[in-house]
Amino acid sequence: MTSPSRKPNALLAAINRAAPLDEPPPAAAPDVSKSSADARSAPAAQRPSRVGTKLVAGHFDPRIARQLRMIAAEEDTTVQALLEEALDLLFVKKGKARLDDIARA
């Protein structure tokens, strides 16, 4: 039931031991016509503000995320706006085109 590389699920094992033997097996999952990838890419599910954009992300210490949200609250702005400002400053420092120039191109 479990692959050799995976640790057995203790909770599932306990549930299986406690389940009555005369209980029928659970029904198979319903067949859905769209896969989850199709649902994620469906234009109807997209927010209008995200159309034509691409996610840029990173993993940071939770304290960094908290500090970024605090600055956004103190300045009555959004984390998105702060990240745009930070990227614009980085691009200028590295001698690259500013965000506004890129968006107009």
Side-chain angles (χ1 to χ4, degrees), residues 17-70:
R17 283 193 304 270
L21 296 176
D22 60 339
E23 186 177 305
D31 184 27
V32 291
S33 60
K34 280 189 161 185
S35 71
S36 60
D38 291 340
R40 283 192 304 265
S41 64
Q46 288 183 356
R47 294 181 185 173
S49 63
R50 294 184 179 177
V51 173
T53 65
K54 183 136 178 95
L55 177 65
V56 177
H59 290 271
F60 298 94
D61 187 286
R63 294 170 291 192
I64 294 170
R66 186 179 317 111
Q67 182 167 297
L68 187 59
R69 290 191 311 271
M70 287 173 61

